[in-house]
Amino acid sequence: MSLQPITNDDNKPCFFQDNFVPLKDANVNIRTHALQYGTACFGGIRAYWNQDKQNLFVFRLQEHYQRLKNSAHILHMRLPYSVEELTNITVELLRKGEWKQNVYLRPILYKSDLGLSPRVHSGQDSFAIYAIGLDDYLDTQKGLSTSVSSWTRISDNSIPTRAKVTGGYINSALAKSEAAQNNCDEAICLNREGYVSEGSAENIFLVQRGTLVTPDVSSDILEGITRRSLIEMAKDENIPLIERKVARTEIYVSDEAFFCGTGVQVAWIKSVDGRIIGNGQMGEVTRKIQNLFFDTVKGNNPRYTHWLTPVF
Ligand code: PMP
């Protein structure tokens, strides 16, 4: 399964070359540096339509743009707008598109010049953002079958994992395809040290005797905004949580496991490498976190409304 739009969005507006144009007209030259060398950084943001409130809520918009700014900083790239300007552009894009359904937003800062030679410190950078209608990326209810990937997660010292770099996603793609070809829903990637890092495009949490355990920020993970939000929620709910190195076989003997991320949302893991996790059902802690998450992103949890940007 891949991120397939649920509607035909070709005529919806896209922010491209400092203007709003129909998505179908936002195209780049074949020589574009980012296309040739993977020199771009991007984001993935969700907005949820609330039918009762007749409003669209964007989840942690400023935090996503702060991460994009950090990615640009790591890559010596220039983001031509401030976080506040990016927030305003995004809201305008959604208003112009009259989006009244769940939406996935993809901002991208890409090296747009046509020069040869891989480098990041010079050449022109451009920014674009598009939106597509999107519901679930992976099934959040069925229990995912997963396998540990034979592909080692890229390390922060090769392609910075803290930055969301397009070129780094060849690693995700290899892991995901291998998992799919082995009839699994998703891959779990180990880092160069052999510790658990994350899924192909999502962070991972385990539950061990009532405590949430997740790989720490030096485990070559992308520091997920969903991950950070769940950590805050767990604290608010007095659920004990540890960020630390996690060994592969810890997953096998955990009581529960789940993925989290903008695309995957919160999806529970049923098996890893042919071993059933816990009792093979969605666990209590996972269910609690998942319910909190969905209530929050849809705008039904007053405790976290400051995480949402209403569009209408
Ligand atoms: N890790 C990777 C490699 C990802 O691509 C994503 C999705 N952006 C995540 C983790 C989860 O991050 P977030 O919660 O910010 O979407």
Side-chain angles (χ1 to χ4, degrees), residues 17 27-37 39 110-119 122-126:
Q17 296 173 341
N27 303 307
V28 298
N29 189 303
I30 190 70
R31 291 168 60 196
T32 302
H33 198 274
L35 180 60
Q36 298 289 336
Y37 296 110
T39 43
Y110 61 103
K111 203 151 274 301
S112 53
D113 77 88
L114 309 181
L116 283 179
S117 107
R119 74 204 124 68
S122 61
Q124 195 189 356
D125 299 327
S126 298

Side-chain angles (χ1 to χ4, degrees), residues 50 104 211 221:
N50 186 314
Y104 183 83
T211 297
I221 62 168

Side-chain angles (χ1 to χ4, degrees), residues 66-85:
Q66 186 57 51
R67 183 172 68 192
L68 189 68
K69 202 175 150 188
N70 291 349
S71 294
H73 182 64
I74 291 170
L75 295 180
H76 285 307
M77 291 178 78
R78 288 159 299 276
L79 192 56
Y81 303 99
S82 67
V83 168
E84 197 188 340
E85 286 168 332

Side-chain angles (χ1 to χ4, degrees), residues 85-151:
E85 286 168 332
L86 291 168
T87 302
N88 293 338
I89 290 166
T90 306
V91 169
E92 199 180 339
L93 178 85
L94 291 168
R95 282 191 190 141
K96 279 186 192 296
E98 297 176 355
W99 286 100
K100 297 199 168 154
Q101 63 181 91
N102 295 337
V103 175
Y104 183 83
L105 291 151
R106 174 53 65 84
I108 183 163
L109 175 68
Y110 61 103
K111 203 151 274 301
S112 53
D113 77 88
L114 309 181
L116 283 179
S117 107
R119 74 204 124 68
V120 285
H121 71 287
S122 61
Q124 195 189 356
D125 299 327
S126 298
F127 175 79
I129 175 164
Y130 69 86
I132 54 171
L134 185 77
D135 282 329
D136 289 347
Y137 167 57
L138 287 175
D139 195 319
T140 59
Q141 301 302 320
K142 75 160 193 174
L144 302 174
S145 70
T146 67
S147 51
V148 170
S149 186
S150 73
W151 295 98

Side-chain angles (χ1 to χ4, degrees), residues 226-286:
T226 317
R227 174 186 180 277
R228 198 193 307 160
S229 306
L230 299 190
I231 289 173
E232 231 175 293
M233 286 175 169
K235 275 196 189 125
D236 292 342
E237 295 295 319
N238 294 316
I239 303 171
L241 184 141
I242 316 175
E243 295 176 63
R244 61 163 172 80
K245 287 182 179 180
V246 174
R248 171 184 189 155
T249 54
E250 281 190 75
I251 316 176
Y252 298 167
V253 297
S254 286
D255 302 316
E256 306 176 28
F258 61 88
F259 287 125
C260 74
T262 300
V264 77
Q265 306 173 106
V266 175
W268 70 283
I269 301 171
K270 184 172 186 165
S271 69
V272 183
D273 296 337
R275 292 153 179 92
I276 294 289
I277 297 176
N279 63 6
Q281 307 291 321
M282 192 193 305
E284 230 176 86
V285 178
T286 305

Side-chain angles (χ1 to χ4, degrees), residues 44 64 67 153 164 169 172 198-203 222-227 260-263:
H64 276 282
R67 183 172 68 192
R153 168 78 178 147
K164 202 166 156 60
Y169 278 76
S172 302
E198 57 180 348
S200 71
E202 52 276 318
N203 295 115
L222 177 76
E223 289 180 37
I225 288 157
T226 317
R227 174 186 180 277
C260 74
T262 300

